[in-house]
Amino acid sequence: MLSPAFAEGAPSRGRQDFRACAPCHSLRPDRNMTGPSLAGVWGRKAGSLPSFERYSDALKSSGIIWDDRSLDGWLTDPQAMVPENDMPFEGIKDSHARADLLAFLKEATKPGAQQQTAQQRGMKGMGGMGGGMMGGMMGGGHDPNLKGLEPAKQVKAIAYCHDTYRVTTADGKTRAFWERNLRFMTDSSQDGPEKGAPAIMPAGMMGDRAAVIFADPEEIAGLIAKHC
Ligand code: HEC
């Protein structure tokens, strides 16, 4: 049964509210980031998506089935509903905002919904707020896909000297980073880089920090040459 608050929810406003979730949650099936993919979450047992391997014991043993009511409780105050769960999110106290978000999510997490939004995105192209926002949100914060990036983002070589990494990209440019401003990461998913072709992504407002993302941890040491 729909609660009165839920029935009032406006998906268009909920789409905006989802920006609070998108850094951690994708709506694409099995696209897991900090948190599990939310595709198909209605009717799912809490902590049960097989492809997500980082659930807390607390969530896995909660016995919750996700529906309008339980999701409303979760989003109000996750820690009150499932003590010691691992979702770093304090909750949404405004019941209207929760209703909007749930109205949006219920549509956007339905099986097949992401193919539709991808088509809409294609039609809207780059123009308008709608297209841009959807592109930023739907895949979540850690897209874009790291295969076939422009040459300025493809790492060819990394030299390490004293406290400095020098990163050379496929466009022939070399940039220097203080060693504590460069992070090394991996993305083994289908959105990750090709093997042997790590990507560099800016991480700081000032351009002083970046992350190099590899397909496999085994590549990391091999690519970094210690010389001055
Ligand atoms: C900082 C990262 C982060 C943010 C922001 C975040 N989540 Fe989560 N979420 C997680 C993690 C991590 C888990 C897994 C928690 C656990 O296992 O205890 C989770 C779990 C969930 C689950 C349970 C899924 C399942 O498979 O059982 C739902 C539903 C959910 N989040 C919805 C949301 C919504 C909606 C928002 C935005 C209002 C949000 N989350 C914001 C990280 C986040």
Side-chain angles (χ1 to χ4, degrees):
M1 234 183 47
L2 299 183
S3 69
F6 182 78
E8 287 166 15
S12 54
R13 286 197 302 263
R15 183 188 296 283
Q16 314 248 6
D17 296 332
F18 185 68
R19 281 193 257 180
C21 325
C24 296
H25 290 288
S26 172
L27 299 173
R28 269 176 36 209
D30 292 316
R31 174 56 173 149
N32 300 313
M33 302 189 297
T34 305
S37 163
L38 295 182
V41 73
W42 259 260
R44 188 156 95 196
K45 188 172 167 291
S48 75
L49 183 66
S51 60
F52 186 74
E53 293 167 13
R54 294 178 293 280
Y55 284 116
S56 63
D57 291 337
L59 193 65
K60 280 192 287 192
S61 60
S62 67
I64 294 167
I65 307 286
W66 293 125
D67 61 14
D68 297 346
R69 186 176 300 265
S70 58
L71 283 166
D72 188 62
W74 174 251
L75 295 183
T76 306
D77 188 344
Q79 285 302 328
M81 188 165 175
V82 182
E84 296 186 35
N85 83 79
D86 281 347
M87 176 156 115
F89 185 73
E90 61 204 20
I92 302 170
K93 304 304 168 213
D94 178 345
S95 64
H96 293 288
R98 288 199 309 275
D100 292 342
L101 179 55
L102 287 174
F104 164 71
L105 274 179
K106 195 167 194 176
E107 286 305 311
T109 60
K110 274 186 182 157
Q114 286 315 294
Q115 279 82 333
Q116 278 173 23
T117 49
Q119 276 167 15
Q120 284 166 10
R121 182 165 52 202
M123 276 167 5
K124 285 188 183 165
M126 301 300 285
M129 281 287 283
M133 249 158 41
M134 189 121 62
M137 269 181 1
M138 287 300 162
H142 293 275
D143 286 344
N145 190 297
L146 299 177
K147 291 185 175 67
L149 290 171
E150 65 262 39
K153 291 189 172 160
Q154 293 172 28
V155 175
K156 286 294 166 200
I158 304 177
Y160 178 61
C161 172
H162 306 311
D163 65 352
T164 301
Y165 287 106
R166 285 178 212 287
V167 179
T168 303
T169 40
D171 59 355
K173 296 213 169 89
T174 298
R175 285 178 55 200
F177 294 90
W178 179 39
E179 61 182 336
R180 286 185 62 168
N181 280 343
L182 193 65
R183 297 159 82 190
F184 298 105
M185 305 176 173
T186 53
D187 185 345
S188 60
S189 79
Q190 55 175 20
D191 290 321
E194 301 283 5
K195 287 219 164 186
I200 184 162
M201 304 300 273
M205 292 294 199
M206 316 289 285
D208 56 341
R209 286 186 293 134
V212 179
I213 307 167
F214 296 79
D216 187 303
E218 284 186 351
E219 294 177 12
I220 298 176
L223 193 87
I224 301 172
K226 270 188 163 177
H227 64 77
C228 291

